[in-house]
Amino acid sequence: MKIFFKWLRIALGPFLLLWELITRPQGLVRTPAQQALVDASTRSLVLYQFKTCPFCMKVRQEMARLSLTIAKRDAQHDEKNRSALIAAVGKPKVPCLQITHDSGKVEWLLDSKAIMAYLQGRFAS
Ligand SMILES: N[C@@H](CCC(=O)N[C@@H](CS)C(=O)NCC(=O)O)C(=O)O
């Protein structure tokens, strides 16, 4: 399975990226004040990702749909990011959302479905 997705990423990467661009959903429209609040909240989030990972793409599309600006870190080619991810969750698995709570506690959320559910729960309404 791991090899399959690696192959998929390499062979279909450019097509997947084009598909992502073409199918990018319309973003949720908020008032400027609401959007500013959302932008302030998403500053505490970071998405660790591979650019051509289909699961990361699903999360990025959801971010676009919810009009979320979330910092993205390449955990595929950037050794520093990759090491940080492995240190936190034990493997270089993506997508992974790093959530820094107001208390300073840092949570790492793995799995595209769990990440999308978290984003929807926090920002969909
Ligand atoms: N069920 C997971 C699958 C994620 C997944 O398989 N990601 C691949 C990249 S496409 C990965 O992290 N591969 C590296 C590894 O497993 O070590 C999800 O929905 O997030």
Side-chain angles (χ1 to χ4, degrees):
M1 204 62 168
K2 215 164 157 175
I3 306 267
F4 171 74
F5 282 116
K6 189 170 183 179
W7 180 87
L8 193 74
R9 284 199 312 268
I10 293 168
L12 301 181
F15 301 101
L16 290 173
L17 288 174
L18 184 64
W19 181 252
E20 181 183 4
L21 199 69
I22 293 168
T23 60
R24 176 137 295 167
Q26 288 283 326
L28 193 70
V29 179
R30 302 184 179 89
T31 64
Q34 284 171 330
Q35 187 63 48
L37 282 176
V38 167
D39 291 345
S41 298
T42 54
R43 261 176 232 132
S44 61
L45 304 177
V46 177
L47 181 72
Y48 282 72
Q49 60 154 15
F50 296 172
K51 208 164 182 185
T52 54
C53 159
F55 302 98
C56 300
M57 285 184 188
K58 274 185 4 185
V59 172
R60 293 198 298 263
Q61 294 296 65
E62 191 58 25
M63 282 161 48
R65 201 180 70 74
L66 296 172
S67 303
L68 303 177
T69 304
I70 296 177
K72 297 189 275 288
R73 289 194 188 146
D74 174 12
Q76 188 172 16
H77 303 111
D78 186 313
E79 243 348 284
K80 201 170 137 244
N81 294 339
R82 196 177 177 83
S83 303
L85 182 61
I86 295 171
V89 299
K91 52 194 171 181
K93 196 84 178 172
V94 291
C96 185
L97 187 69
Q98 184 196 52
I99 306 162
T100 304
H101 294 280
D102 291 344
S103 64
K105 182 179 166 248
V106 178
E107 187 186 343
W108 297 76
L109 185 59
L110 277 168
D111 193 79
S112 54
K113 281 195 187 134
I115 295 170
M116 288 191 290
Y118 172 81
L119 296 177
Q120 284 157 4
R122 245 187 108 175
F123 301 109
S125 53

